[in-house]
Amino acid sequence: MSTKDKYTLMTTAPIPRLIGSLAVPTIISMLVTSFYVMADTYFVGQINTQSTAAVGISFSVMAIIQAFGFFFGHGSGNYISRKLGAKDYESAEKMASTGFFYAFMSGAIIALFGHLYLSQICVALGSTPTILPYAEEYLGTILLGAPFMASSLVLNNQMRFQGNAVYAMVGIIVGAVLNIGLDPLLIFVFDMGISGAAWATLLSQICSFLVLLVMDSRGTNIRIRFKNFTLKPAYLKEIIFGGSPSLCRQGLASLSTILLNVAAGAYGDAAIAGMSIVTRICMFINSFVIGFGQGFQPVCGFNYGAGIYRRVREGFWFCVKTGVVFLAVCSVIGYIFSPEIVSWFRDDPHVIETGTRALRWQLITLPLGAWVILCNMMLQTIRKPVRAVTLSSARQGLFFIPFILILPHFFGLQGVEMCQAVSDLCSFLLAIPLTIPVLNEMKK
């Protein structure tokens, strides 16, 4: 498909069919990615409770790496989709390479810093003395893949924002399938324990990075070339405006995970393991809505850049309705079978007890997340940075952090378990006044 044909498709094709075609590969990518994270948790859970907790503790560092990947990926991708909609192809090409190389350098800095202060970081993340050796072993290996993880997210998002989500899907799936295959091989066959899980993740990330580079050279994707990399402040400014919501959201997610682990750690290793399992389960369920919203984002960017605001509104409401229905069905099923679901990952009575209560709390407010996720994606794509940053900071920052510091003092472990649900409700209420005026403005 030529660039001209792509523009015509984005601005004239029926919204449900268009978003559906773009969302299928992104949903598959998100589900597969979430599934291999869950598989990682499942296989590590067969070792011992401390290993399960160590993976949960290390997740906050992975969230920081992802934060920079999404920052440069969404910041550059939002700009690219708007410029393609405005038919400014030269600026789009420069932004693609600029975002990619910024992300790779940021990942390298994180890897270096992480290895210099590995023990101190693991303790700060909430490691107990019994968890610390496992956390150091796992996280030390994971950090080696930081440059590849961050820049892979940039490639993935840039291709997606260009409307070429199938190419991005191939790279993600190859890495995920490889990880799922290597996990049991390295953990059990080669008897590497938690180190095997870490190496499986590292090797799959490098493989995914290489495949994404190959995919980026196919079709109408903008090629990554070092000659197009620029240090001009104007491009960095656009990345900051377009990517700050993602950086805030992921950065605060990392901080909230640390505080969650610290709060749960007061009730033992089983509490940390249980909360870690619930986080993975909810991430897997939400990945459908996130993938569906990612199918909406290129449509949103193209049509907003072209000034066709009616299609932006139509796409937004279509995605919200679909997301709410899906999450409501998952919540009912998950609430009924919570003990069985948690027990899949770790057959420990204390882990199952904590995980079941926490999962049921989160499922109560889960359908509200569809509205919050899609409001945030739309505000970010159409360059409403203040509103987008405020909303992206709400769930894991403005609300979760105060609640995780306050609720356990009044309700004990139940306060830890219910904290995310209360935060989701407050985020939903905040998203209404932040988004409705913008939708009304486009209507006028």
Side-chain angles (χ1 to χ4, degrees), residues 30-31 33-35 37-38 59 66 278-288 290 362:
M30 289 299 302
L31 288 175
T33 301
S34 298
F35 181 76
V37 172
M38 291 176 67
F59 184 70
Q66 291 172 346
V278 171
T279 299
R280 300 297 194 283
I281 293 170
C282 290
M283 183 176 70
F284 179 75
I285 298 173
N286 274 319
S287 63
F288 173 87
I290 295 173
Q362 291 201 28

Side-chain angles (χ1 to χ4, degrees), residues 60 62-75 78 106 110 150 236 239-255 376 380 385 388-394 396-397:
S60 55
M62 296 176 71
I64 292 175
I65 300 170
Q66 291 172 346
F68 282 93
F70 283 126
F71 171 67
F72 291 111
H74 288 165
N78 286 324
S106 298
I110 292 172
L236 183 58
I239 290 175
I240 292 172
F241 278 131
S244 292
S246 297
L247 182 64
C248 290
R249 181 175 61 252
Q250 290 294 124
L252 289 169
S254 176
L255 177 59
N376 192 22
Q380 185 174 357
V389 169
T390 301
L391 185 55
S392 64
S393 304
Q396 303 291 6

Side-chain angles (χ1 to χ4, degrees), residues 17 66 193 215 262 308 314 317 331 357 396 417:
R17 179 166 59 85
Q66 291 172 346
M215 291 295 103
V262 172
I308 312 175
E314 183 182 349
W317 287 114
S331 296
R357 289 197 303 264
Q396 303 291 6
E417 296 163 352

Side-chain angles (χ1 to χ4, degrees), residues 74 78 82 161 241-246 249 293 296-297 300-301 304 312 316 371-393 427 430-442:
H74 288 165
N78 286 324
R82 292 197 308 272
F161 274 101
F241 278 131
S244 292
S246 297
R249 181 175 61 252
F296 162 67
Q297 281 184 300
C300 177
Y304 192 83
V312 176
F316 171 79
W371 169 258
V372 178
I373 290 169
L374 289 160
C375 287
N376 192 22
M377 285 184 167
M378 183 190 69
L379 293 172
Q380 185 174 357
T381 303
I382 66 175
R383 204 176 180 273
K384 299 289 183 181
V386 176
R387 292 174 184 267
V389 169
T390 301
L391 185 55
S392 64
S393 304
S427 300
L430 177 64
I432 295 173
L434 287 176
T435 307
I436 294 299
V438 175
L439 290 171
N440 289 338
E441 181 181 336
M442 283 191 285

